[in-house]
Amino acid sequence: MFIAVIALVNWDTEIEEFYAVVVFVVYSIGFLGIAVMPTGRDPAPCYDRFVRWCHVHLYQVRFLREVFKVNNVGPNPPAILSLSDGGRLEKYGLLYLLKKRLKRILIVDGSLIAQEANYSKSILKSMDQARELLHCEFVGFDGRDVKEQMRKEYVEAPKGSGKPRYFRFLVQYFKEEEDGTYSMDGTGEVMIIAPRHPDKGVPPRDGMGTTWADYGGDLDTKEWGPGPVLSAEEVDRLTFCCCECCHTSVGCVSKISEKLCMGFPSTSTINQFFTPSLFTAYHREGYRACVESNAEEFLYVHAQAGGQANNIV
């Protein structure tokens, strides 16, 4: 804005333009210098109170701190604490549960997964952070490399057989000794569940119930559908978002809707107007994912042994 004012004002002399540019540069350097000053140390330096005041009252300083990712390091809290849902650092909240060294952790991934290749992107990022911060190690079953096993069996399953809605792996907890060495401090098991499109997920296994009655439920089929198993036709018609009349199976409309709102099961989180049909579809798919992964047994067996398990949404 300051540069725009300089450009639009009809200056009388070139020297005044020069002075204006100098003032702008000096202000920018001053704001930058304040933004990068360290805070949080104890005892606090003499300039700490002034810098904190600038963080609170000068937007330019706050903006530069965010741009250059300047962090408050030390026992004293920052002048401004920004809160978020945790997605900026780690999507699942998995680090906190690993820090508690839990025996079993169930992750229910209801986030936006725009592409098939992204099914493992966030969990692998969380695992890398756990390795760095908590000294955890992750292995697949039978001692396999967890990253490759996840890619082969969860992300890039063989064509024709469908892709599973869950993946399980092991975590090994380590603690650092006084001499700098590490010793194992327990093990645990992690399972992640995520929805799939009916055409891309594994088909119902033999003996799997297809109606609510098969699971002892008494849900109204008019509101909740006949059962947890969805068909491609049911989800492909869930176009746009406003009301039931927005849903259609017309090909061109479906393609436009997919470009704007994406499609099931990756409906854009910008859409805050889930219709009853769309909500029911996600409910049914979530129920099926839990049945396919035996999530109840995963938690129940551990609870019977006196343990503790956690859901992460």
Side-chain angles (χ1 to χ4, degrees):
M1 182 180 293
F2 195 84
I3 296 177
V5 171
I6 295 175
L8 294 175
V9 172
N10 184 20
W11 299 96
D12 294 334
T13 62
E14 293 184 0
I15 193 67
E16 291 177 330
E17 290 187 21
F18 173 76
Y19 285 151
V21 173
V22 169
V23 170
F24 171 76
V25 172
V26 170
Y27 267 90
S28 299
I29 294 176
F31 288 146
L32 178 61
I34 297 172
V36 299
M37 284 184 177
T39 57
R41 291 185 295 180
D42 187 21
C46 58
Y47 59 79
D48 189 78
R49 179 176 294 183
F50 168 73
V51 172
R52 288 175 177 273
W53 184 93
C54 293
H55 293 174
V56 175
H57 296 92
L58 298 180
Y59 170 77
Q60 295 89 337
V61 174
R62 293 200 304 273
F63 175 76
L64 290 171
R65 283 178 66 86
E66 292 185 6
V67 169
F68 291 99
K69 298 181 179 179
V70 181
N71 295 321
N72 184 89
V73 180
N76 291 327
I80 295 179
L81 186 63
S82 300
L83 300 179
S84 71
D85 60 358
R88 292 186 179 184
L89 175 64
E90 192 262 317
K91 181 186 292 186
Y92 303 118
L94 181 61
L95 295 180
Y96 176 75
L97 300 180
L98 293 175
K99 187 177 181 180
K100 296 180 68 175
R101 287 169 163 69
L102 298 180
K103 294 296 183 181
R104 290 202 174 187
I105 300 174
L106 173 62
I107 303 173
V108 182
D109 189 354
S111 61
L112 174 65
I113 304 176
Q115 300 176 355
E116 289 291 313
N118 292 344
Y119 267 83
S120 64
K121 182 178 180 180
S122 295
I123 186 64
L124 290 176
K125 178 182 177 181
S126 298
M127 291 161 65
D128 287 339
Q129 291 174 314
R131 292 186 181 99
E132 179 181 356
L133 300 175
L134 304 175
H135 316 300
C136 295
E137 295 183 8
F138 301 93
V139 294
F141 285 92
D142 301 326
R144 295 177 58 184
D145 177 71
V146 64
K147 188 173 183 179
E148 273 301 293
Q149 185 181 14
M150 185 180 296
R151 182 183 67 83
K152 295 173 181 176
E153 298 181 3
Y154 181 60
V155 181
E156 301 176 3
K159 295 182 179 179
S161 60
K163 299 178 180 180
R165 292 170 171 82
Y166 71 99
F167 182 79
R168 296 169 68 166
F169 56 94
L170 303 175
V171 54
Q172 297 175 340
Y173 301 112
F174 285 81
K175 64 178 180 180
E176 186 175 4
E177 305 292 351
E178 294 182 357
D179 59 357
T181 60
Y182 295 91
S183 60
M184 186 176 293
D185 192 33
T187 60
E189 186 175 348
V190 181
M191 180 166 70
I192 181 171
I193 298 176
R196 296 278 191 183
H197 188 279
D199 283 345
K200 297 180 180 179
V202 296
R205 62 176 181 267
D206 294 338
M208 177 179 175
T210 57
T211 66
W212 298 122
D214 294 332
Y215 300 97
D218 188 23
L219 297 178
D220 187 345
T221 57
K222 293 182 179 179
E223 294 185 0
W224 298 101
V229 179
L230 285 162
S231 65
E233 291 76 15
E234 288 179 292
V235 299
D236 289 342
R237 63 172 293 274
L238 299 176
T239 54
F240 295 106
C241 61
C242 297
C243 55
E244 292 290 339
C245 62
C246 293
H247 300 325
T248 179
S249 300
V250 178
C252 60
V253 177
S254 297
K255 292 185 179 297
I256 295 174
S257 175
E258 186 174 356
K259 292 293 183 182
L260 297 176
C261 306
M262 306 188 69
F264 184 92
S266 300
T267 306
S268 174
T269 52
I270 297 176
N271 174 17
Q272 298 294 308
F273 301 97
F274 273 33
T275 63
S277 296
L278 189 57
F279 180 86
T280 299
Y282 275 101
H283 169 267
R284 294 170 64 186
E285 176 60 20
Y287 195 101
R288 176 179 177 178
C290 291
V291 171
E292 181 181 309
S293 62
N294 291 319
E296 183 178 8
E297 180 182 351
F298 177 81
L299 297 176
Y300 179 75
V301 171
H302 184 58
Q304 286 293 96
Q308 180 183 5
N310 285 266
N311 291 331
I312 312 171
V313 181

